């Protein structure tokens, strides 16, 4: 079956690439560009092939994605393919050796922002849906293809709209089309984020009275946080291969030269694991804050404002949909490994809803989120066949 799927995918490669090019040529930077032009390209393509689809909106009525739904003719679980259509910003465009929206093919590479993350995957998943549509009546369950935006903001608006849509069937699992051909990502660290507001009396910087300002207190807090002891990897405890990590990612306070400020704010990002969860992260940060307020007292204690929390997740190689994707990839001759990623992603959001997900398998790439983003196309038929076979195996497993 895999060989025939790969042959069919090879025949469709030009069509997949053409759709991906059209998407790359519509800038859809998260929080910057209007998403409608890129999603409109997909709507036109889906409508031309009579694929059932509808728009998804968030609570404020903003367009945050498209949902394709291929309902089978028999009862069974639904599965979902997910690819984001919004992208990271361009950064310094003068540093690029080509236009971020050129969408050109050069020496076998598709060039431009979103070529890797994840407009090519969006084009590929649309073609898989089109292939399944004529056979839908014989299939159990169904396939959803989520083409979401508001992903690179970290808000995950498209995925949230899908999960909260009362008309959508809750998926038994999701395969997210992040790129990379060497790994099937089966897990990711979670996160706990907070803003810490450090207070102090304000005063004139030239005053004869000694004042420990908010910036100095905050700098001491950074040292306390940086020296905090986090546990290492304990495979026997939870099987999670990455340790937790704490980073101070923002430091703001003061203005000019003549005033010692009364407020300095820090952003703290803690990457969590199965054994060092959000509660553990908050406890660690609160301990450092309490130590600061005891060592360098101020009229007002340090405020801790939690901002976000995502659970870590990890699937075993025998858990679906990881098992199906790993098996399909290995059947094509790829030597893929199951990997747990350091960064968080939509898989963490899904884990919070009890939905298992893979968060990466795709084509080789360069420059993701950086300059000169591009994706190598030689393995497109094989990656296409892998996802197609994984979907069929999942649908027919029940």
């Amino acid at each position: 079956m895999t060989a025939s799927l790969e042959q069919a995918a090879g025949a469709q490669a030009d069509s997949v690439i053409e759709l991906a090019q059209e998407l790359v040529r519509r800038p859809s930077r998260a929080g910057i560009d209007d998403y409608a032009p890129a999603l409109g390209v997909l709507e036109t393509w889906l409508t031309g092939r009579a694929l059932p689809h509808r728009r998804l909106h968030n609570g404020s009525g903003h367009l945050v994605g498209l949902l394709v739904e291929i309902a089978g003719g028999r009862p069974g679980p639904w599965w979902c393919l997910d690819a984001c259509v919004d992208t990271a910003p361009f950064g310094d465009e003068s540093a690029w050796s080509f236009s971020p929206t050129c969408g050109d093919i050069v020496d076998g590479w598709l060039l431009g922002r979103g070529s890797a993350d994840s407009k090519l995957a969006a084009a590929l998943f649309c073609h898989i849906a089109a292939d399944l549509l004529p056979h839908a009546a014989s299939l159990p369950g169904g396939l959803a293809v989520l083409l979401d935006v508001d992903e690179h903001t970290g808000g995950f608006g498209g995925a949230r709209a899908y999960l909260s849509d009362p008309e959508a069937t809750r998926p038994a699992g999701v395969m997210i089309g992040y790129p990379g051909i060497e790994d099937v990502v089966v897990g990711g660290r979670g996160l706990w984020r907070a803003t810490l507001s450090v207070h102090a009396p304000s005063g004139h910087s030239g005053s004869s009275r000694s004042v420990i300002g908010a910036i100095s207190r905050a700098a001491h807090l950074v040292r306390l946080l940086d020296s905090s002891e986090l546990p290492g990897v304990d495979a026997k405890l939870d099987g999670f291969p990455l340790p937790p990590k704490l980073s101070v990612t923002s430091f703001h306070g003061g203005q000019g030269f003549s005033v010692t400020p009364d407020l300095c704010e820090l952003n703290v990002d803690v990457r969590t694991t199965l054994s060092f969860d959000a509660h553990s992260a908050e406890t660690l940060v609160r301990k450092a804050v309490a130590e600061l307020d005891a060592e360098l007292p101020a009229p007002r204690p340090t405020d801790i404002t939690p901002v976000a929390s995502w659970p870590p997740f990890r699937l075993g190689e025998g858990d679906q949909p990881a098992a199906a994707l790993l098996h399909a990839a290995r059947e094509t001759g790829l030597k893929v490994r199951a990997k747990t990623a350091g960064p968080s992603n939509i898989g963490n959001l899904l884990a919070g809803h009890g939905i298992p997900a893979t968060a990466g398998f795709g084509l080789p790439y360069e420059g993701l989120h950086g300059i000169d983003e591009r994706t190598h196309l030689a393995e497109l038929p094989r990656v296409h066949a892998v996802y197609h076979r994984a979907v069929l195996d999942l649908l027919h497993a029940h």
Side-chain angles (χ1 to χ4, degrees):
M1 180 175 68
T2 302
S4 61
L5 288 175
E6 192 169 344
Q7 184 178 11
Q12 292 184 324
D14 288 345
S15 178
V16 174
I17 293 168
E18 288 171 7
L19 180 55
Q21 287 179 290
E22 290 300 308
L23 292 172
V24 171
R25 289 168 181 158
R26 271 69 172 184
S28 53
R29 293 165 293 177
I32 299 174
D33 297 313
D34 182 2
Y35 302 133
L39 292 176
V41 167
L42 292 167
E43 285 182 305
T44 299
W45 194 92
L46 294 167
T47 300
R49 288 151 184 82
L51 281 160
H53 65 280
R54 53 194 169 89
R55 293 186 170 194
L56 296 174
H57 298 86
N58 63 15
S60 301
H62 295 118
L63 178 63
V64 290
L66 300 176
L67 182 64
V68 183
E69 294 170 302
I70 308 298
R74 296 185 284 124
W78 279 64
W79 302 90
C80 176
L81 296 172
D82 171 33
C84 59
V85 186
D86 66 325
T87 73
F90 297 151
D92 181 4
E93 292 186 53
S94 67
W96 286 64
S97 60
F98 47 83
S99 167
T101 58
C102 69
D104 293 340
I105 309 295
V106 177
D107 297 328
W109 293 83
L110 172 61
L111 310 182
R113 177 63 84 225
S115 59
D117 186 12
S118 296
K119 292 182 174 181
L120 187 62
L124 174 59
F125 291 167
C126 285
H127 281 76
I128 291 175
D131 286 342
L132 286 183
L133 183 61
H135 311 288
S138 66
L139 296 174
L143 175 70
V145 177
L146 174 62
L147 305 163
D148 57 325
V149 292
D150 191 39
E151 191 268 4
H152 284 81
T153 63
F156 301 158
R160 290 180 184 274
Y162 170 45
L163 295 176
S164 63
D165 189 333
E167 297 181 13
T169 302
R170 181 183 177 90
V174 178
M175 293 182 285
I176 305 168
Y178 297 131
I181 202 164
E182 295 179 350
D183 308 300
V184 171
V185 177
V186 298
R189 286 189 295 199
L191 61 81
W192 180 84
R193 290 173 174 166
T195 296
L196 312 183
S197 300
V198 181
H199 305 279
S202 63
H204 197 292
S205 59
S207 172
S208 60
R209 183 171 61 93
S210 178
V211 175
I212 300 178
I215 290 178
S216 295
R217 295 189 75 239
H220 185 65
L221 178 56
V222 171
R223 288 191 291 271
L224 291 172
L225 291 168
D226 284 345
S227 62
S228 298
E229 291 189 11
L230 281 75
V233 174
D234 189 342
K236 293 182 180 179
L237 184 61
D238 60 16
F240 206 83
L242 295 174
K245 181 182 179 182
L246 184 150
S247 303
V248 177
T249 58
S250 176
F251 190 106
H252 295 287
Q255 186 175 10
F257 294 92
S258 61
V259 177
T260 56
D262 58 3
L263 174 66
C264 185
E265 292 187 328
L266 314 177
N267 285 347
V268 178
D269 176 284
V270 184
R271 298 299 164 135
T272 60
T273 65
L274 298 179
S275 60
F276 189 86
D277 59 10
H279 176 73
S280 303
E282 184 170 356
T283 299
L284 182 146
V285 170
R286 289 191 179 278
K287 179 176 181 295
V289 165
E291 189 172 343
L292 168 74
D293 289 344
E295 291 182 9
L296 300 175
R300 180 176 171 183
T302 301
D303 297 317
I304 301 174
T305 305
V307 173
S309 180
W310 300 106
F313 74 100
R314 178 170 171 80
L315 304 183
E317 291 197 27
D319 297 329
Q320 298 292 15
L325 193 54
L326 285 163
H327 175 72
R330 289 165 180 165
E331 283 292 297
T332 69
L334 290 170
K335 296 181 179 180
V336 293
R337 58 185 177 179
K339 177 184 176 181
T340 299
S344 303
N345 52 61
I346 288 180
N348 297 87
L349 171 67
L350 295 167
H353 288 264
I355 299 172
T358 60
F361 169 75
L363 292 173
Y365 64 91
E366 293 179 357
L368 186 144
H369 288 200
I371 63 169
D372 287 355
E373 181 177 342
R374 57 183 186 167
T375 302
H376 201 262
L377 300 171
E379 295 284 7
L380 177 58
R382 182 142 60 161
V383 170
H384 187 158
V386 166
Y387 272 109
H388 197 158
R389 172 158 185 174
V391 167
L392 292 176
D393 287 350
L394 289 166
L395 289 172
H396 289 292
H398 294 270

